[in-house]
Amino acid sequence: MTRYPSGHKERTREQIVSAAARAFREEGVEGVSVGEVMGRAGLTHGGFYAHFRNKDQLVAEACGCALEQSTARLIDIARKAPPEERLAAFIGAYASPAHRDDPGAGCLMPALATEVSRHSPEVRTAFTGSVQQALAMLVRLLPEVEGADRTDRALALMSGLAGAVMLARAVDDPALSDRILQASRDAFTAAFAKG
């Protein structure tokens, strides 16, 4: 029996989840087999069941991983801006051509929301948890507005941003796609990020 160093199984599992998070955002959950995920992770298909009960468990974990990866990038962009410009920087980065053109590194909401709605309760619960974490982060970025509920405002902004990126990816007219993003950036910045 081959002995592996301490932590090998945990690192291998993280490697699989990270590869799955990217693959699912790029190709969709149904568009990627377990064998393809394992290949992207540099592993053989046979090792999958040493780490996961089934594909749904992998999808559930990949949702959390995808959120952590994309949120870290977007928050880093926001943190580099002056405090009063952080929300505008976040909106600009989210509704950008770079985000639209790299779904594998982007937010899981525009990439997987419609597909996840048809998955198992385990997957939907994990996705919901990821959305709630993103919502909590966005609430912290929103300025106080008298008489307005910050959570409701964050829900509207998150839904609008995810929808804008989803629509911009779906159309086959590059000029229209760019216009969707620009119009969304302008409208959301004016509505949410102007003091």
Side-chain angles (χ1 to χ4, degrees):
M1 182 168 130
T2 305
R3 305 238 339 132
Y4 291 103
S6 176
H8 173 77
K9 185 170 183 173
E10 292 80 15
R11 284 189 301 278
T12 301
R13 185 185 182 97
E14 289 171 11
Q15 184 178 340
I16 296 165
V17 170
S18 183
R22 182 168 194 81
F24 295 152
R25 286 178 285 175
E26 288 174 347
E27 308 292 333
V29 174
E30 296 305 318
V32 181
S33 70
V34 166
E36 289 169 322
V37 168
M38 295 300 282
R40 283 180 179 225
L43 302 165
T44 62
H45 182 269
F48 177 80
Y49 293 101
H51 298 278
F52 303 96
R53 288 185 316 276
N54 53 37
K55 187 176 179 182
D56 277 357
Q57 184 184 16
L58 174 60
V59 173
E61 289 191 32
C63 284
C65 177
L67 173 77
E68 288 173 20
Q69 292 171 346
S70 62
T71 300
R73 270 192 25 257
L74 292 166
I75 290 297
D76 187 52
I77 291 167
R79 282 192 180 133
K80 289 178 181 173
E84 68 278 2
E85 296 174 21
R86 287 185 178 154
L87 183 56
F90 176 87
I91 292 168
Y94 197 105
S96 70
H99 185 206
R100 173 198 60 204
D101 297 343
D102 190 8
C107 180
L108 80 154
M109 286 180 260
L112 296 179
T114 58
E115 188 175 359
V116 166
S117 69
R118 295 183 291 276
H119 271 270
S120 70
E122 178 181 16
V123 170
R124 292 188 69 201
T125 297
F127 186 85
T128 300
S130 295
V131 169
Q132 289 169 331
Q133 288 177 356
L135 178 65
M137 178 274 307
L138 193 52
V139 165
R140 289 190 297 274
L141 281 177
L142 283 172
E144 292 280 349
V145 174
E146 191 174 326
D149 183 292
R150 283 171 78 180
T151 301
D152 286 347
R153 295 185 74 222
L155 282 167
L157 178 56
M158 182 175 15
S159 299
L161 286 170
V165 172
M166 188 183 315
L167 191 57
R169 286 178 181 162
V171 298
D172 70 351
D173 179 342
L176 178 59
S177 179
D178 287 343
R179 190 169 181 185
I180 291 166
L181 294 175
Q182 183 65 57
S184 297
R185 280 194 308 272
D186 293 347
F188 295 137
T189 299
F192 294 96
K194 298 294 183 195

